mmCIF file of all heavy atoms in Angstrom:
data_model
loop_
_atom_site.group_PDB
_atom_site.id
_atom_site.type_symbol
_atom_site.label_atom_id
_atom_site.label_comp_id
_atom_site.label_asym_id
_atom_site.label_seq_id
_atom_site.Cartn_x
_atom_site.Cartn_y
_atom_site.Cartn_z
ATOM 1 N N ASP A 544 -7.232 -133.503 46.109
ATOM 2 C CA ASP A 544 -6.628 -132.246 45.465
ATOM 3 C C ASP A 544 -5.392 -131.845 46.036
ATOM 4 O O ASP A 544 -5.427 -131.342 47.156
ATOM 5 C CB ASP A 544 -7.643 -131.156 45.463
ATOM 6 C CG ASP A 544 -7.381 -130.047 44.481
ATOM 7 O OD1 ASP A 544 -6.199 -130.033 43.991
ATOM 8 O OD2 ASP A 544 -8.209 -129.075 44.295
ATOM 9 N N SER A 545 -4.245 -132.121 45.285
ATOM 10 C CA SER A 545 -2.979 -131.704 45.963
ATOM 11 C C SER A 545 -2.462 -130.504 45.359
ATOM 12 O O SER A 545 -1.190 -130.039 45.561
ATOM 13 C CB SER A 545 -1.940 -132.790 45.658
ATOM 14 O OG SER A 545 -1.742 -133.071 44.240
ATOM 15 N N ARG A 546 -3.271 -129.560 44.891
ATOM 16 C CA ARG A 546 -2.784 -128.229 44.322
ATOM 17 C C ARG A 546 -2.523 -127.319 45.609
ATOM 18 O O ARG A 546 -3.133 -127.411 46.612
ATOM 19 C CB ARG A 546 -3.879 -127.625 43.512
ATOM 20 C CG ARG A 546 -4.073 -128.301 42.060
ATOM 21 C CD ARG A 546 -5.151 -127.688 41.313
ATOM 22 N NE ARG A 546 -6.313 -127.808 42.008
ATOM 23 C CZ ARG A 546 -7.364 -126.994 42.034
ATOM 24 N NH1 ARG A 546 -7.179 -125.758 41.410
ATOM 25 N NH2 ARG A 546 -8.481 -127.189 42.676
ATOM 26 N N PRO A 547 -1.548 -126.343 45.418
ATOM 27 C CA PRO A 547 -1.256 -125.391 46.404
ATOM 28 C C PRO A 547 -2.547 -124.677 46.754
ATOM 29 O O PRO A 547 -3.493 -124.401 45.949
ATOM 30 C CB PRO A 547 -0.257 -124.412 45.778
ATOM 31 C CG PRO A 547 0.381 -125.338 44.732
ATOM 32 C CD PRO A 547 -0.716 -126.237 44.161
ATOM 33 N N GLY A 548 -2.742 -124.347 48.046
ATOM 34 C CA GLY A 548 -3.905 -123.729 48.667
ATOM 35 C C GLY A 548 -5.052 -124.541 48.957
ATOM 36 O O GLY A 548 -6.063 -124.129 49.369
ATOM 37 N N THR A 549 -4.905 -125.823 48.764
ATOM 38 C CA THR A 549 -5.888 -126.768 49.275
ATOM 39 C C THR A 549 -5.541 -127.438 50.540
ATOM 40 O O THR A 549 -4.396 -127.134 51.116
ATOM 41 C CB THR A 549 -6.045 -127.974 48.228
ATOM 42 O OG1 THR A 549 -4.904 -128.631 48.250
ATOM 43 C CG2 THR A 549 -6.416 -127.530 46.834
ATOM 44 N N SER A 550 -6.398 -128.104 51.189
ATOM 45 C CA SER A 550 -6.189 -128.511 52.510
ATOM 46 C C SER A 550 -5.436 -129.922 52.670
ATOM 47 O O SER A 550 -5.148 -130.363 53.716
ATOM 48 C CB SER A 550 -7.516 -128.595 53.361
ATOM 49 O OG SER A 550 -8.447 -129.539 52.674
ATOM 50 N N GLN A 551 -5.202 -130.449 51.525
ATOM 51 C CA GLN A 551 -4.535 -131.803 51.519
ATOM 52 C C GLN A 551 -3.109 -131.608 51.734
ATOM 53 O O GLN A 551 -2.363 -130.648 51.238
ATOM 54 C CB GLN A 551 -4.696 -132.500 50.105
ATOM 55 C CG GLN A 551 -6.061 -132.797 49.687
ATOM 56 C CD GLN A 551 -6.694 -133.852 50.675
ATOM 57 O OE1 GLN A 551 -5.966 -134.691 51.006
ATOM 58 N NE2 GLN A 551 -7.939 -133.738 50.955
ATOM 59 N N PRO A 552 -2.558 -132.507 52.667
ATOM 60 C CA PRO A 552 -1.127 -132.327 52.982
ATOM 61 C C PRO A 552 -0.256 -132.790 51.713
ATOM 62 O O PRO A 552 -0.757 -133.677 50.973
ATOM 63 C CB PRO A 552 -0.944 -133.213 54.233
ATOM 64 C CG PRO A 552 -2.012 -134.289 54.088
ATOM 65 C CD PRO A 552 -3.191 -133.502 53.442
ATOM 66 N N PRO A 553 1.014 -132.275 51.605
ATOM 67 C CA PRO A 553 1.821 -132.848 50.362
ATOM 68 C C PRO A 553 2.193 -134.276 50.689
ATOM 69 O O PRO A 553 2.192 -134.834 51.940
ATOM 70 C CB PRO A 553 3.050 -131.961 50.447
ATOM 71 C CG PRO A 553 3.049 -131.367 51.862
ATOM 72 C CD PRO A 553 1.615 -131.326 52.484
ATOM 73 N N PRO A 554 2.328 -135.069 49.672
ATOM 74 C CA PRO A 554 2.816 -136.447 49.718
ATOM 75 C C PRO A 554 4.149 -136.516 50.415
ATOM 76 O O PRO A 554 4.982 -135.619 50.227
ATOM 77 C CB PRO A 554 2.804 -136.854 48.377
ATOM 78 C CG PRO A 554 2.918 -135.739 47.521
ATOM 79 C CD PRO A 554 2.312 -134.629 48.231
ATOM 80 N N THR A 555 4.418 -137.531 51.058
ATOM 81 C CA THR A 555 5.643 -137.820 51.756
ATOM 82 C C THR A 555 6.569 -138.300 50.613
ATOM 83 O O THR A 555 6.256 -139.316 49.818
ATOM 84 C CB THR A 555 5.627 -138.907 52.843
ATOM 85 O OG1 THR A 555 4.604 -138.367 53.705
ATOM 86 C CG2 THR A 555 6.942 -139.139 53.387
ATOM 87 N N VAL A 556 7.768 -137.650 50.448
ATOM 88 C CA VAL A 556 8.774 -138.112 49.568
ATOM 89 C C VAL A 556 10.049 -138.525 50.147
ATOM 90 O O VAL A 556 10.561 -137.932 50.878
ATOM 91 C CB VAL A 556 9.091 -136.861 48.508
ATOM 92 C CG1 VAL A 556 10.019 -137.264 47.473
ATOM 93 C CG2 VAL A 556 7.749 -136.375 47.899
ATOM 94 N N SER A 557 10.499 -139.701 49.704
ATOM 95 C CA SER A 557 11.710 -140.216 50.258
ATOM 96 C C SER A 557 12.882 -139.527 49.490
ATOM 97 O O SER A 557 12.775 -139.449 48.200
ATOM 98 C CB SER A 557 11.758 -141.714 50.121
ATOM 99 O OG SER A 557 10.787 -142.295 50.859
ATOM 100 N N PRO A 558 13.986 -139.104 50.115
ATOM 101 C CA PRO A 558 15.053 -138.577 49.422
ATOM 102 C C PRO A 558 15.682 -139.539 48.575
ATOM 103 O O PRO A 558 15.785 -140.894 48.934
ATOM 104 C CB PRO A 558 15.956 -138.131 50.598
ATOM 105 C CG PRO A 558 15.562 -138.854 51.774
ATOM 106 C CD PRO A 558 14.185 -139.291 51.614
ATOM 107 N N SER A 559 16.292 -139.277 47.401
ATOM 108 C CA SER A 559 16.895 -140.095 46.531
ATOM 109 C C SER A 559 18.309 -139.591 46.453
ATOM 110 O O SER A 559 18.577 -138.544 46.499
ATOM 111 C CB SER A 559 16.175 -140.177 45.172
ATOM 112 O OG SER A 559 16.145 -138.981 44.550
ATOM 113 N N PRO A 560 19.183 -140.583 46.118
ATOM 114 C CA PRO A 560 20.597 -140.192 45.998
ATOM 115 C C PRO A 560 20.743 -139.323 44.815
ATOM 116 O O PRO A 560 19.949 -139.370 43.653
ATOM 117 C CB PRO A 560 21.307 -141.462 45.707
ATOM 118 C CG PRO A 560 20.308 -142.524 45.369
ATOM 119 C CD PRO A 560 18.959 -141.987 45.845
ATOM 120 N N SER A 561 21.696 -138.449 44.800
ATOM 121 C CA SER A 561 22.070 -137.600 43.602
ATOM 122 C C SER A 561 22.605 -138.334 42.548
ATOM 123 O O SER A 561 23.103 -139.503 42.726
ATOM 124 C CB SER A 561 22.771 -136.386 44.018
ATOM 125 O OG SER A 561 24.033 -136.776 44.640
ATOM 126 N N PRO A 562 22.775 -137.744 41.393
ATOM 127 C CA PRO A 562 23.340 -138.629 40.146
ATOM 128 C C PRO A 562 24.628 -139.237 40.455
ATOM 129 O O PRO A 562 25.489 -138.701 41.113
ATOM 130 C CB PRO A 562 23.450 -137.540 39.002
ATOM 131 C CG PRO A 562 22.509 -136.437 39.446
ATOM 132 C CD PRO A 562 22.321 -136.433 41.005
ATOM 133 N N SER A 563 24.719 -140.359 40.110
ATOM 134 C CA SER A 563 26.042 -141.097 40.099
ATOM 135 C C SER A 563 26.579 -141.352 41.561
ATOM 136 O O SER A 563 27.782 -141.496 41.671
ATOM 137 C CB SER A 563 27.236 -140.666 39.196
ATOM 138 O OG SER A 563 27.571 -139.372 39.569
ATOM 139 N N GLY A 564 25.652 -141.199 42.470
ATOM 140 C CA GLY A 564 26.000 -141.566 43.937
ATOM 141 C C GLY A 564 26.781 -140.352 44.657
ATOM 142 O O GLY A 564 27.377 -140.593 45.695
ATOM 143 N N THR A 565 26.936 -139.277 43.876
ATOM 144 C CA THR A 565 27.596 -138.145 44.568
ATOM 145 C C THR A 565 26.699 -137.289 45.449
ATOM 146 O O THR A 565 25.507 -137.442 45.268
ATOM 147 C CB THR A 565 28.221 -137.223 43.449
ATOM 148 O OG1 THR A 565 27.261 -136.730 42.684
ATOM 149 C CG2 THR A 565 29.308 -137.994 42.671
ATOM 150 N N ASP A 566 27.178 -136.496 46.196
ATOM 151 C CA ASP A 566 26.340 -135.638 47.046
ATOM 152 C C ASP A 566 25.900 -134.393 46.271
ATOM 153 O O ASP A 566 26.490 -134.127 45.155
ATOM 154 C CB ASP A 566 26.934 -135.279 48.411
ATOM 155 C CG ASP A 566 28.053 -134.274 48.411
ATOM 156 O OD1 ASP A 566 28.443 -133.781 47.398
ATOM 157 O OD2 ASP A 566 28.485 -133.930 49.334
ATOM 158 N N LEU A 567 25.116 -133.600 46.878
ATOM 159 C CA LEU A 567 24.680 -132.365 46.244
ATOM 160 C C LEU A 567 25.784 -131.443 45.686
ATOM 161 O O LEU A 567 25.760 -130.996 44.493
ATOM 162 C CB LEU A 567 23.756 -131.586 47.166
ATOM 163 C CG LEU A 567 23.293 -130.153 46.732
ATOM 164 C CD1 LEU A 567 22.300 -130.199 45.599
ATOM 165 C CD2 LEU A 567 22.595 -129.408 47.903
ATOM 166 N N TRP A 568 26.690 -131.288 46.658
ATOM 167 C CA TRP A 568 27.809 -130.269 46.277
ATOM 168 C C TRP A 568 28.715 -130.804 45.248
ATOM 169 O O TRP A 568 29.363 -130.081 44.430
ATOM 170 C CB TRP A 568 28.345 -129.717 47.534
ATOM 171 C CG TRP A 568 27.415 -128.806 48.241
ATOM 172 C CD1 TRP A 568 26.702 -129.161 49.380
ATOM 173 C CD2 TRP A 568 27.078 -127.515 47.820
ATOM 174 N NE1 TRP A 568 25.957 -128.241 49.644
ATOM 175 C CE2 TRP A 568 26.162 -127.082 48.829
ATOM 176 C CE3 TRP A 568 27.390 -126.668 46.761
ATOM 177 C CZ2 TRP A 568 25.511 -125.851 48.761
ATOM 178 C CZ3 TRP A 568 26.848 -125.378 46.816
ATOM 179 C CH2 TRP A 568 25.863 -124.966 47.665
ATOM 180 N N GLU A 569 29.028 -132.062 45.186
ATOM 181 C CA GLU A 569 29.749 -132.661 44.132
ATOM 182 C C GLU A 569 29.105 -132.566 42.858
ATOM 183 O O GLU A 569 29.741 -132.271 41.872
ATOM 184 C CB GLU A 569 30.080 -134.118 44.465
ATOM 185 C CG GLU A 569 31.081 -134.316 45.638
ATOM 186 C CD GLU A 569 31.113 -135.840 45.995
ATOM 187 O OE1 GLU A 569 30.567 -136.684 45.392
ATOM 188 O OE2 GLU A 569 31.876 -136.191 47.044
ATOM 189 N N THR A 570 27.757 -132.691 42.880
ATOM 190 C CA THR A 570 27.109 -132.437 41.598
ATOM 191 C C THR A 570 27.068 -131.095 41.166
ATOM 192 O O THR A 570 27.233 -130.709 39.959
ATOM 193 C CB THR A 570 25.565 -132.884 41.772
ATOM 194 O OG1 THR A 570 25.579 -134.301 42.183
ATOM 195 C CG2 THR A 570 24.797 -132.800 40.398
ATOM 196 N N VAL A 571 26.830 -130.190 42.057
ATOM 197 C CA VAL A 571 27.078 -128.702 41.786
ATOM 198 C C VAL A 571 28.463 -128.389 41.191
ATOM 199 O O VAL A 571 28.621 -127.640 40.211
ATOM 200 C CB VAL A 571 26.829 -127.833 43.038
ATOM 201 C CG1 VAL A 571 27.083 -126.380 42.842
ATOM 202 C CG2 VAL A 571 25.283 -127.980 43.431
ATOM 203 N N ASP A 572 29.555 -128.918 41.861
ATOM 204 C CA ASP A 572 30.826 -128.721 41.388
ATOM 205 C C ASP A 572 30.981 -129.159 39.893
ATOM 206 O O ASP A 572 31.626 -128.601 39.105
ATOM 207 C CB ASP A 572 31.905 -129.336 42.231
ATOM 208 C CG ASP A 572 32.197 -128.549 43.522
ATOM 209 O OD1 ASP A 572 31.830 -127.351 43.588
ATOM 210 O OD2 ASP A 572 32.666 -129.077 44.493
ATOM 211 N N ALA A 573 30.449 -130.390 39.662
ATOM 212 C CA ALA A 573 30.519 -131.027 38.343
ATOM 213 C C ALA A 573 29.734 -130.151 37.231
ATOM 214 O O ALA A 573 30.278 -129.862 36.184
ATOM 215 C CB ALA A 573 29.933 -132.385 38.343
ATOM 216 N N LEU A 574 28.597 -129.674 37.654
ATOM 217 C CA LEU A 574 27.863 -128.803 36.725
ATOM 218 C C LEU A 574 28.557 -127.451 36.471
ATOM 219 O O LEU A 574 28.649 -126.993 35.379
ATOM 220 C CB LEU A 574 26.446 -128.585 37.254
ATOM 221 C CG LEU A 574 25.462 -129.725 37.312
ATOM 222 C CD1 LEU A 574 24.271 -129.372 38.152
ATOM 223 C CD2 LEU A 574 25.068 -130.104 35.870
ATOM 224 N N TRP A 575 29.120 -126.943 37.547
ATOM 225 C CA TRP A 575 30.002 -125.686 37.366
ATOM 226 C C TRP A 575 31.025 -125.996 36.428
ATOM 227 O O TRP A 575 31.378 -125.126 35.561
ATOM 228 C CB TRP A 575 30.532 -125.289 38.770
ATOM 229 C CG TRP A 575 31.448 -124.148 38.607
ATOM 230 C CD1 TRP A 575 31.281 -122.853 38.430
ATOM 231 C CD2 TRP A 575 32.857 -124.230 38.625
ATOM 232 N NE1 TRP A 575 32.376 -122.162 38.295
ATOM 233 C CE2 TRP A 575 33.418 -122.982 38.582
ATOM 234 C CE3 TRP A 575 33.689 -125.380 38.847
ATOM 235 C CZ2 TRP A 575 34.813 -122.838 38.563
ATOM 236 C CZ3 TRP A 575 35.126 -125.164 38.858
ATOM 237 C CH2 TRP A 575 35.575 -123.856 38.801
ATOM 238 N N ALA A 576 31.818 -127.039 36.699
ATOM 239 C CA ALA A 576 33.031 -127.330 35.723
ATOM 240 C C ALA A 576 32.531 -127.531 34.353
ATOM 241 O O ALA A 576 33.268 -126.977 33.396
ATOM 242 C CB ALA A 576 33.742 -128.558 36.248
ATOM 243 N N TRP A 577 31.399 -128.291 34.121
ATOM 244 C CA TRP A 577 30.899 -128.510 32.749
ATOM 245 C C TRP A 577 30.474 -127.144 32.133
ATOM 246 O O TRP A 577 30.864 -126.969 30.838
ATOM 247 C CB TRP A 577 29.698 -129.367 32.825
ATOM 248 C CG TRP A 577 28.981 -129.548 31.534
ATOM 249 C CD1 TRP A 577 29.396 -130.289 30.453
ATOM 250 C CD2 TRP A 577 27.654 -129.069 31.242
ATOM 251 N NE1 TRP A 577 28.396 -130.296 29.516
ATOM 252 C CE2 TRP A 577 27.397 -129.488 29.926
ATOM 253 C CE3 TRP A 577 26.788 -128.333 31.964
ATOM 254 C CZ2 TRP A 577 26.200 -129.078 29.342
ATOM 255 C CZ3 TRP A 577 25.540 -127.936 31.429
ATOM 256 C CH2 TRP A 577 25.283 -128.510 30.059
#
């Protein structure tokens, strides 16, 4: 049971690249401009 409040640890998630290979803030800038 992976619901909040249970004793199971959250799964390990590997970071994935942001869209089109840009970093977080480049994506934020692109969303802001759009």
